[in-house]
Amino acid sequence: MKQTDQTLLEQLRITEFEIENRQRLFMISERDIKLIVDARKIVEAGLSGIVDTFYEMQTNTPEIALLIGDADTLQRLRNAQQRYISDLFSGVYDIDYVNNRLRIGLVHKRIGVDTKLYLSAVYTLKSLINDYLSRHIDDIQVRADTLSALEKVFMFDITLVFETYIRSLLSEIETSREKSEEYARILEDKVRERTHQLERMARTDPLTGLQSVRYLNEALTRYLRMAENRQEMLSLVYIDINDFKLFNDTEGHQRGDEILRNVGQAILQVSRNEDSAFRYGGDEFCVVLPRCNAEQARDICVSRLLGALVEVDEAIQLSIGIAQAGPGSYPSAGQLLSQADRAMYQHKAEQKGEDPDLPSSSKGASVRLVGGQDKSGD
């Protein structure tokens, strides 16, 4: 019989007898069930507050927030969580209850939720319910016994979810290793694509279209690790708009916003698909260029960037610093940012007639667009 012809319960060989056996293994007694049922009215009185607090905590974790994605999905998850808690305190842990828990595990597995995220969510929910019951059950012994009973049922549920994770994977491997690996690759690609879409939506600076600065350190650290693992070069470009405050003061903030948009769009225009561009500060930008040395970065972020900018706004003046990592040495994200920042400011000083001593891993260019010409401070 094909797997698709079987129910999830049949695939995992879970019967009513098996359910009863699992409850015995976790020592879920009739008294435990009665205590949980007795606590149902207490929990339902505060159900909305528990669920609201739970998702407030969950959405503070970037990994989970990205998986949730949007307000509609969040509301559906809230409703499902309320139903689960009501079922949890119903005291009825029959075949339908078990099937629902197995499907939760299947959904988690299919969308790529890491087991650590699932376990942390269970721990958070259990802690919130325990805290609520502790405040509303006065009898110390009843309170302790109720929390103990609840712990057993949570463990019962967790094993069902993990049964789906583990047994489903084993079944796929036993059926066809090649099919299982292909399926996993397709699934990972879908999750990765969806995650990238959500990341782009959450991380984009609305004015310039570049990524927000709050994700720069995370992204740069990730790129550096990949470069070091592959023994490849990586360059970081630090861009500053000269006299930006003067534009705001003399021509107004609308003109300042226009300049920021022009620079942002020019950076996006000249960046490669694998590059990541960030608005670092009010008038500062950073571009991470994997598999790119300083000279190549200079070509992209000086020659091409200036060419793109001159077509839309000849008044813009830029200072650009470039720092290279690899192949011999890989600094931290903060160190590489400091090198690029220093290169940019040292070249600003160089325009004034100074002769800054740049480290070999840093290279900068102070440039000004005048009548379509590239005036370089090299």
Side-chain angles (χ1 to χ4, degrees):
M1 180 182 294
K2 294 188 298 184
Q3 184 171 338
T4 52
D5 294 333
Q6 294 180 310
T7 67
L8 191 55
L9 289 163
E10 289 172 337
Q11 291 177 29
L12 299 177
R13 300 183 183 89
I14 295 180
T15 63
E16 292 183 354
F17 175 79
E18 172 63 16
I19 293 171
E20 293 174 0
N21 183 54
R22 288 175 182 238
Q23 292 180 8
R24 283 194 297 270
L25 287 173
F26 287 103
M27 296 182 286
I28 301 175
S29 65
E30 292 296 327
R31 183 171 182 274
D32 290 327
I33 294 175
K34 183 179 184 306
L35 286 167
I36 291 174
V37 172
D38 290 344
R40 183 175 187 177
K41 288 185 178 180
I42 298 174
V43 169
E44 287 185 342
L47 187 55
S48 294
I50 292 172
V51 172
D52 288 346
T53 303
F54 173 77
Y55 278 105
E56 181 179 352
M57 296 172 69
Q58 291 296 288
T59 53
N60 284 332
T61 302
E63 290 175 279
I64 298 175
L66 288 171
L67 287 171
I68 292 175
D70 54 64
D72 290 338
T73 302
L74 179 59
Q75 187 56 49
R76 288 196 296 271
L77 290 171
R78 289 177 188 271
N79 295 337
Q81 191 71 283
Q82 288 190 9
R83 289 195 299 272
Y84 166 59
I85 296 174
S86 294
D87 290 344
L88 181 67
F89 282 87
S90 70
V92 180
Y93 311 121
D94 56 8
I95 202 81
D96 290 333
Y97 178 90
V98 168
N99 192 48
N100 287 335
R101 299 314 300 153
L102 292 174
R103 294 208 166 275
I104 290 295
L106 188 62
V107 169
H108 280 72
K109 178 179 178 294
R110 284 177 175 170
I111 67 173
V113 175
D114 196 284
T115 52
K116 67 176 182 292
L117 295 180
Y118 170 74
L119 287 174
S120 69
V122 171
Y123 177 80
T124 299
L125 179 62
K126 182 166 67 72
S127 298
L128 290 172
I129 294 175
N130 286 353
D131 290 344
Y132 185 83
L133 290 176
S134 296
R135 294 194 305 270
H136 291 83
I137 298 178
D138 297 327
D139 188 292
I140 296 176
Q141 189 59 52
V142 172
R143 181 197 310 154
D145 291 346
T146 301
L147 297 183
S148 175
L150 190 60
E151 176 75 18
K152 296 176 184 178
V153 178
F154 266 115
M155 292 301 297
F156 174 78
D157 286 356
I158 289 172
T159 60
L160 292 172
V161 172
F162 272 78
E163 189 81 5
T164 307
Y165 270 88
I166 298 168
R167 294 293 294 274
S168 178
L169 181 60
L170 289 175
S171 176
E172 291 172 5
I173 293 175
E174 290 169 1
T175 303
S176 171
R177 182 177 298 274
E178 183 178 343
K179 262 188 176 179
S180 177
E181 291 175 352
E182 181 182 356
Y183 173 77
R185 285 194 299 270
I186 293 173
L187 186 61
E188 288 171 1
D189 289 342
K190 288 181 179 179
V191 173
R192 189 180 301 109
E193 180 182 354
R194 176 59 175 160
T195 301
H196 288 166
Q197 291 173 350
L198 294 173
E199 286 177 345
R200 285 194 293 271
M201 291 170 58
R203 299 185 175 201
T204 301
D205 172 56
L207 181 61
T208 63
L210 305 182
Q211 296 187 61
S212 171
V213 64
R214 75 177 102 173
Y215 302 105
L216 173 59
N217 191 71
E218 171 192 338
L220 183 54
T221 299
R222 184 173 67 251
Y223 277 117
L224 282 166
R225 287 175 180 169
M226 288 191 297
E228 185 171 11
N229 289 338
R230 298 169 180 172
Q231 286 297 291
E232 295 175 342
M233 291 174 290
L234 175 145
S235 290
L236 175 66
V237 179
Y238 197 112
I239 302 168
D240 175 78
I241 302 174
N242 294 338
D243 300 321
F244 181 71
K245 184 177 184 300
L246 183 61
F247 282 110
N248 277 330
D249 292 344
T250 59
E251 300 185 43
H253 289 284
Q254 288 185 343
R255 171 59 171 152
D257 288 349
E258 179 187 21
I259 289 172
L260 291 172
R261 281 193 295 269
N262 287 340
V263 173
Q265 289 305 308
I267 291 173
L268 288 175
Q269 181 180 332
V270 302
S271 295
R272 305 168 304 171
N273 289 336
E274 62 266 40
D275 299 337
S276 289
F278 300 83
R279 183 181 176 187
Y280 186 62
D283 61 339
E284 296 175 324
F285 304 85
C286 286
V287 186
V288 183
L289 297 94
R291 296 186 293 276
C292 186
N293 62 32
E295 289 302 324
Q296 292 167 329
R298 171 183 289 277
D299 177 60
I300 293 171
C301 284
V302 176
S303 302
R304 299 183 192 177
L305 177 58
L306 296 181
L309 273 176
V310 75
E311 296 178 1
V312 294
D313 200 330
E314 296 183 353
I316 298 175
Q317 302 179 36
L318 300 179
S319 291
I320 301 175
I322 303 174
Q324 176 182 314
S329 174
Y330 295 89
S332 67
Q335 289 170 335
L336 196 64
L337 271 168
S338 294
Q339 290 176 18
D341 183 33
R342 188 165 61 251
M344 184 268 293
Y345 276 105
Q346 286 175 321
H347 279 82
K348 278 182 181 288
E350 190 177 54
Q351 284 185 311
K352 300 176 183 180
E354 300 175 6
D355 187 18
D357 182 17
L358 289 180
S360 59
S361 61
S362 299
K363 189 169 284 193
S366 227
V367 295
R368 177 175 180 175
L369 295 179
V370 181
Q373 298 300 313
D374 173 5
K375 302 297 184 183
S376 176
D378 292 344

